[in-house]
């Protein structure tokens, strides 16, 4: 098995943090996004969408999509449960993971991809107006998330989950997008400091 990885890029990091939380060692194969190695014919044969991460199993089966890869490892190694236990906890974690992905990580990614000069060769065309349109959405969502985090320690409840991984990595992605958590979002800041202090955050 081999995990095609993308260094500092957020989606491959989601899988690395997940694996670190589980304590599962998986050999990494670095893919140099800056050099557009993910657009090479060799990598496109693995993932025709030319995105990382991609997990290649020993029989050649390819799994892409960060959350699909995480779910594969969760099914094989249920402890600790990062997608939840039981109907309610599992649904709440799914809800928050999707909210954090769709309403935070993606809009931040749109800002980064449509403004950063280094992304001009990947985001074609770059549309600065789309970046601008996403900025207020990020702020609105952070306000909503902040009010939720006033009620509990982690994104989806009392336990750390995959939703915290998505959220932490989204917040870390604010910096390269030249954005920041608003001062008023004290609960987001507290939660981000807590999840960032876990050893897995360095993965
Ligand atoms: N939905 C995919 C997104 C994968 C993705 O967009 N990966 C980025 C790195 S974070 C990538 O490979 N970008 C290369 C490009 O845009 O050309 C997932 O969850 O894994």
């Amino acid at each position: 098995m081999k995990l095609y990885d993308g260094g500092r890029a957020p989606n491959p990091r989601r899988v690395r943090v997940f694996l670190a939380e589980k304590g599962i060692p998986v050999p990494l194969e670095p893919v140099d996004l800056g050099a557009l190695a993910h657009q090479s014919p060799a990598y496109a044969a693995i993932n025709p969408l030319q995105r990382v991460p991609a997990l290649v199993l020993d029989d050649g089966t390819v799994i892409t999509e960060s959350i699909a890869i995480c779910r594969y490892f969760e099914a094989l190694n249920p402890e600790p449960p990062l997608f939840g236990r039981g109907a309610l906890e599992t649904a709440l974690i799914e809800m928050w993971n999707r909210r954090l992905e769709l309403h935070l990580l993606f809009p931040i990614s749109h800002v980064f991809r449509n403004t950063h000069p280094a992304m001009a060769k990947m985001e074609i065309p770059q549309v600065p107006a789309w970046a601008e349109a996403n900025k207020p959405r990020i702020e609105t969502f952070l306000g909503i998330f902040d009010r939720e985090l006033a009620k509990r320690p982690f994104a989806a409840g009392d336990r750390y989950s995959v939703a915290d991984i998505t959220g932490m990595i989204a917040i870390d992605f604010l910096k390269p997008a030249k954005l920041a958590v608003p001062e008023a979002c004290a609960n987001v800041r507290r939660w981000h400091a807590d999840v960032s202090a876990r050893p897995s955050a360095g993965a």
Side-chain angles (χ1 to χ4, degrees):
M1 156 185 316
K2 204 186 267 188
L3 181 64
Y4 286 82
D5 182 39
R8 284 182 300 169
N11 285 295
R13 185 170 167 231
R14 285 208 278 174
V15 177
R16 293 200 310 274
V17 172
F18 187 90
L19 291 172
E21 285 285 339
K22 291 273 184 187
I24 305 171
V26 175
L28 299 182
E29 183 72 33
V31 179
D32 186 347
L33 298 186
L36 300 182
H38 60 299
Q39 295 179 6
S40 68
Y43 188 75
I46 293 166
N47 182 4
L49 291 177
Q50 303 179 356
R51 299 282 175 124
V52 286
L55 179 70
V56 181
L57 304 183
D58 291 344
D59 70 357
T61 305
V62 177
I63 307 174
T64 68
E65 296 302 321
S66 311
I67 293 301
I69 296 170
C70 292
R71 282 196 180 280
Y72 175 74
F73 286 113
E74 175 95 349
L76 291 176
N77 306 268
E79 296 297 328
L82 296 179
F83 283 92
R85 260 199 205 115
L88 181 60
E89 189 188 37
T90 302
L92 291 174
I93 289 171
E94 180 73 17
M95 176 180 91
W96 278 104
N97 190 55
R98 287 182 69 83
R99 283 178 160 182
L100 286 157
E101 192 174 70
L102 296 170
H103 299 284
L104 192 63
L105 180 58
F106 286 3
I108 296 167
S109 166
H110 294 322
V111 173
F112 176 72
R113 295 179 67 97
N114 287 281
T115 55
H116 200 286
M119 292 306 293
K121 54 192 176 183
M122 289 185 228
E123 188 69 23
I124 303 168
Q126 281 187 310
V127 182
W130 179 229
E132 286 309 310
N134 276 280
K135 288 180 184 176
R137 297 174 188 181
I138 295 164
E139 201 164 327
T140 300
F141 182 80
L142 283 173
I144 293 166
F145 190 38
D146 193 70
R147 288 190 287 281
E148 291 289 332
L149 285 173
K151 303 177 211 162
R152 55 181 179 269
F154 295 109
D158 291 338
R159 251 197 296 190
Y160 182 89
S161 74
V162 70
D164 295 290
I165 297 176
T166 299
M168 175 185 74
I169 287 169
I171 296 293
D172 289 343
F173 203 30
L174 285 168
K175 195 174 173 189
K178 297 194 171 20
L179 299 168
V181 177
E183 281 296 328
C185 292
N187 298 306
V188 173
R189 288 169 178 271
R190 179 266 306 156
W191 158 84
H192 182 252
D194 288 351
V195 293
S196 300
R198 299 171 77 91
S200 63

